[in-house]
Amino acid sequence: MGVQPTAAVSAGEVLAALSLATDLGTDQPLEHGLRTAVLCSRLAAAAGGDDDLQADAYHLGLLHSIGCTSDAHEAAAAYGDDRPVRSDFATIDSGRPNEVMAFLWRRTAESRAPHVVAFAGAVLSGPRRARSGLTAHCEVGQRFAVRLGLPDGVRDALWHVFERWDGKGLPRGIAGAQIPQVARLLHLARDADVHWRLGGARRVRAAFETRRAGAYDPELADLAHSELPRSLEALDEQPAWDAAMEARPAQPSALAGDALDEACRVIGEFADLKSVFTLGHSPAVAELAEAAAWRLGLAQADVVVVRRAGLVHDVGRVAVSTGVWEKPAPLTTGEWERVRLHPYFGERVLARCGGLANVGAVAARHHERLDGSGYHRGAAAGELALGARVLAAADACQAMTEPRPHRPALTPQAAAAELDRDVVAGRLDGDAVAAVLQAAGVRAGAAPRAFPSGLTAREVEVLRLVARGHSNKAIAAQLHLSPKTVGHHVGHVYAKAGVSTRAAAALFAVEHGLLGQ
């Protein structure tokens, strides 16, 4: 029996599911984003905001961390693990040097470099590194918001998630009423939920008092001091998902067709940004799985589910440190166990969105194998429908032909040989593998020659390497150019693409299908 077609999907549920994924990516307790959305909208109402402000506050609270995977590569290189850096930073007052120094000391303890060396490097490069990382976070978040159809107020406010009332924030360092009101509301709601978990109402009120006129708008801080502890108490009495669904503003009844595909694609690209080695992976798997599913004669509704499952299958990756995904050496037992859980995390995120339940059920099985040797469930042949078998074969094929930290990309012929061995060993479905290999061969011969935004072929070469995290010096060596020439190319690429950070350039490359060889 094939997979079942996707039911009507609520736009609010899709955005809420994506919010859960951002919690995984920022090492926050699951539902932090949902709770922040509720608090933010309630604070907006208490401040006398109209329906539009309350709606913007809700969506900004829900997706304020949508750019969190944008600089995961750089954060892991500096700190060893990109996720605790984000949750730890959320607890400190970044305007207090002593708290910043203590934060850097804690986080550099996990760096691969000696602790003192890593700490010294973090102190010396701190402002520049922080500005670069937060700029990427904001820029990528804004681009995703546009594609999700979020209102202009949310798109603009995503540039101000890390600003401060006193002007000591990043990335732009603007102050006071120059910061949009909805962003000032977010600063209080987001931090209130963090401090509530760590110390209840007393800690929340202490944060508002000590950061008043520093991190926070003083008038809104006074309002939050009286309003938010009560709201937090009420939230503890109700499931956060239910509270968030009740608080959501009026929305179109459902996402369908291209709009739902685009939302799924955003979820996949959000996950793929986690590592420079997985850029473009999810859309490529979706394309391959869809083409193979047609070749196998699946019904149209089943093909749609398989395609969308391909787009979202790796969302659970964000729950695992980029330091693990980009480790060139063999994984430890603990690291490998964490990797084996990423389909589980993805399944839990997608399961909350009822309209995507069938998509999530297929996506969660992309690492299962017919002989029961896969993960995370160890499901065997009788539990794996044809759609799940196709996705498993497409994911394996695509991953083999992409570079990984421990090996170069396999040639299509070498990947085919590996897949054939898996069929013979009883791990992958023979028909699914045959259809995937046929689809891969057709796709490989269709590379476009005209590039978007007026990019030249050389600039696309440079863009691909920039997206993968290579320095100008490394790019110069690989392309046999001078670093200065590469710098000119990078500048032209950024200008033509309309971006200013590596992460946004990488996202531009993914959006336009420019990462293929």
Side-chain angles (χ1 to χ4, degrees), residues 4-340:
Q4 297 301 308
T6 306
V9 182
S10 158
E13 285 190 345
V14 173
L15 297 179
L18 181 52
S19 178
L20 294 175
T22 69
D23 294 338
L24 294 175
T26 55
D27 194 36
Q28 290 290 352
L30 213 58
E31 299 183 335
H32 166 66
L34 299 179
R35 290 166 61 90
T36 300
V38 174
L39 296 172
C40 207
S41 62
R42 289 179 182 173
L43 188 59
D50 59 17
D51 289 346
D52 287 342
L53 179 65
Q54 292 178 48
D56 285 353
Y58 176 89
H59 287 118
L60 183 62
L62 198 66
L63 295 175
H64 65 275
S65 291
I66 194 174
C68 69
T69 54
S70 60
D71 67 330
H73 168 75
E74 290 83 358
Y79 302 109
D81 191 337
D82 57 298
R83 297 173 65 253
V85 171
R86 305 186 195 287
S87 58
D88 196 353
F89 185 77
T91 68
I92 71 167
D93 184 345
S94 61
R96 295 175 179 264
N98 62 321
E99 292 192 31
V100 174
M101 290 297 106
F103 161 78
L104 292 175
W105 179 255
R106 289 192 301 272
R107 299 281 42 103
T108 52
E110 297 182 19
S111 173
R112 294 175 186 171
H115 191 185
V116 173
V117 174
F119 174 70
V123 171
L124 291 173
S125 63
R128 175 184 56 79
R129 179 183 290 166
R131 186 178 302 277
S132 175
L134 297 183
T135 298
H137 189 294
C138 296
E139 186 171 23
V140 167
Q142 190 270 344
R143 292 176 74 92
F144 280 147
V146 170
R147 291 170 56 191
L148 290 168
L150 294 175
D152 290 342
V154 179
R155 301 176 191 180
D156 179 54
L158 282 165
W159 276 105
H160 303 85
V161 169
F162 303 103
E163 300 292 355
R164 293 168 51 98
W165 179 260
D166 58 11
K168 296 180 181 178
L170 293 170
R172 294 172 174 173
I174 63 175
Q178 290 180 296
I179 303 170
Q181 185 182 13
V182 67
R184 287 179 269 142
L185 293 166
L186 169 73
H187 300 158
L188 290 154
R190 174 196 61 199
D191 293 0
D193 188 58
V194 169
H195 290 289
W196 179 265
R197 172 172 52 87
L198 296 175
R202 179 179 297 180
R203 178 156 176 162
V204 171
R205 291 193 171 101
F208 290 162
E209 291 165 3
T210 58
R211 302 183 190 186
R212 184 184 186 279
Y216 307 139
D217 177 331
E219 292 186 10
L220 291 179
D222 292 342
L223 179 64
H225 189 281
S226 62
E227 294 289 334
L228 289 189
R230 290 200 298 269
S231 293
L232 283 158
E233 288 178 2
L235 266 178
D236 281 353
E237 299 300 318
Q238 181 182 17
W241 182 273
D242 294 345
M245 291 301 100
E246 291 176 8
R248 60 183 166 171
Q251 301 243 8
S253 59
L255 286 175
D258 292 344
L260 181 53
D261 282 342
E262 182 66 4
C264 290
R265 187 179 178 100
V266 167
I267 292 172
E269 291 176 7
F270 164 79
D272 291 349
L273 279 174
K274 180 74 173 171
S275 169
V276 297
F277 294 97
T278 54
L279 292 173
H281 173 77
S282 294
V285 169
E287 181 179 344
L288 199 54
E290 178 185 26
W294 280 121
R295 284 170 169 77
L296 289 169
L298 271 69
Q300 181 177 355
D302 292 345
V303 174
V304 169
V305 171
V306 169
R307 178 180 71 243
R308 290 173 181 161
L311 289 171
V312 303
H313 74 283
D314 258 349
V315 66
R317 272 185 173 269
V318 301
V320 182
S321 167
T322 296
V324 171
W325 293 124
E326 298 189 350
K327 185 177 180 180
L331 300 183
T332 66
T333 300
E335 290 168 341
W336 178 237
E337 286 304 313
R338 188 75 177 181
V339 166
R340 288 170 60 90

Side-chain angles (χ1 to χ4, degrees), residues 392-415:
D395 176 62
C397 180
Q398 184 62 34
M400 289 177 188
T401 56
E402 296 168 343
R404 292 292 182 263
H406 59 285
R407 60 156 176 81
L410 273 63
T411 65
Q413 295 75 19

